[in-house]
Amino acid sequence: MKKILLMCTAGMSTSMMVQKMQESASEKNFDVEIEAFGSEHFNELVPKYDIVLLGPQLKYMLNEFKSRGVAQGKLIEVINPMDYAVMNGEKVLAHALELMG
């Protein structure tokens, strides 16, 4: 099972994206766990996930999060702003799975 963590400022907007991604995963019978939290939980949660996707509003923190996550062997990327704006969970899920290989 692949484990995907979405993070934004408070975990609210990414929670909506999680729902869209889960719908897509269910339709395609993908075995994934997807959750969303606020960025203040990064350090405690990152070890539990295969990839961390940041909401576009956290793009400015990408390098900081990468420096913390790379030490633990984690992929950390920013969600495409256009996909995020229209809540395209299918595309965001596909991109996350592609990054994980």
Side-chain angles (χ1 to χ4, degrees):
M1 173 186 302
K2 302 286 186 183
K3 297 177 91 174
I4 303 169
L5 175 62
L6 275 62
M7 299 204 117
C8 65
T9 307
M12 300 293 217
S13 58
T14 49
S15 292
M16 291 184 286
M17 179 60 76
V18 165
Q19 184 177 20
K20 298 292 187 178
M21 292 172 72
Q22 287 173 331
E23 288 171 9
S24 180
S26 182
E27 289 171 6
K28 294 174 174 34
N29 293 318
F30 291 153
D31 190 19
V32 295
E33 178 182 323
I34 311 164
E35 293 188 285
F37 288 92
S39 60
E40 71 273 11
H41 299 287
F42 181 88
N43 290 335
E44 68 189 76
L45 292 175
V46 74
K48 301 173 187 175
Y49 294 87
D50 300 308
I51 188 170
V52 179
L53 299 177
L54 304 176
Q57 67 273 35
L58 289 180
K59 183 178 181 177
Y60 73 98
M61 296 183 74
L62 178 62
N63 289 336
E64 178 186 340
F65 283 144
K66 275 193 172 188
S67 68
R68 290 193 245 165
V70 168
Q72 300 176 35
K74 304 299 175 174
L75 294 167
I76 301 165
E77 296 294 332
V78 176
I79 298 171
N80 178 295
M82 291 302 292
D83 294 336
Y84 196 80
V86 297
M87 289 288 145
N88 190 335
E90 182 177 5
K91 253 182 123 174
V92 174
L93 176 62
H95 185 65
L97 294 172
E98 180 184 320
L99 289 169
M100 289 186 282

